[in-house]
Amino acid sequence: MTPTEPRADVKPKPDVSPPDPTSTEPTSAQSRADRFVRDLAALKIPDPAAARAGLWLRLGGTLMVLGLVLALSAYLVSHNTQNPLDQRDGLALGLGGIAASVVGGALFLRYSLTGFLRFWMARQSYDLAVLADRLCAASSERDPHHDRTSTDAAPR
């Protein structure tokens, strides 16, 4: 038996294709939410609750808070001593805390807005596709003989 020959003990499966997930025709059992979830899956948009994005979001929030605490404690250290060496150490720690807060704020803002904007854009593209389907259906009802695949200019 060669690798290209079918096995005699395995029966071939009937040729029944599953329903097309990209079809836009609504069925009675199919709700708008189900179609939206299927369209999102077809767009291959990652889940915003993924572990890595959540980790960066929490890291950004933590850096913001810890940076502020570090800057505040460095301020207190630099103002409660007369030793110039300790004051300079406090200034360096304060600048590090402020830098950590800025980086944390940027991380937090980036990952919190990404999740929101990703689904906003997916929703916009879905609504535009529905609008385009409605417009095409309405214009085909008015002029069924007009060829919409042509790139020629419209007659005047």
Side-chain angles (χ1 to χ4, degrees):
M1 182 165 123
T2 64
T4 58
E5 292 177 18
R7 290 178 33 188
D9 61 336
V10 176
K11 295 180 183 178
K13 294 181 181 177
D15 189 24
V16 176
S17 60
D20 184 17
T22 60
S23 71
T24 57
E25 297 179 46
T27 62
S28 61
Q30 184 179 30
S31 70
R32 183 176 178 194
D34 293 335
R35 283 184 285 147
F36 182 67
V37 169
R38 188 181 62 242
D39 288 343
L40 283 179
L43 291 173
K44 294 183 174 60
I45 296 175
D47 185 17
R52 186 161 301 187
L55 173 71
W56 284 109
L57 186 67
R58 287 190 304 274
L59 178 69
T62 304
L63 268 176
M64 270 194 306
V65 171
L66 289 180
L68 289 175
V69 168
L70 183 64
L72 180 65
S73 64
Y75 175 80
L76 293 175
V77 165
S78 67
H79 279 77
N80 288 332
T81 183
Q82 296 297 322
N83 186 355
L85 296 175
D86 287 338
Q87 289 176 345
R88 290 182 192 127
D89 286 343
L91 289 174
L93 282 175
L95 286 175
I98 291 171
S101 291
V102 168
V103 169
L107 280 173
F108 183 80
L109 188 64
R110 188 252 190 238
Y111 283 99
S112 61
L113 284 179
T114 299
F116 170 73
L117 292 176
R118 178 181 295 130
F119 280 101
W120 175 78
M121 186 171 28
R123 182 64 190 191
Q124 286 292 97
S125 66
Y126 177 76
D127 286 340
L128 286 175
V130 168
L131 178 65
D133 291 341
R134 286 182 188 164
L135 289 176
C136 285
S139 64
S140 66
E141 289 174 0
R142 282 186 280 155
D143 190 9
H145 301 296
H146 183 68
D147 181 20
R148 283 171 187 54
T149 60
S150 171
T151 58
D152 298 336
R156 298 192 189 253

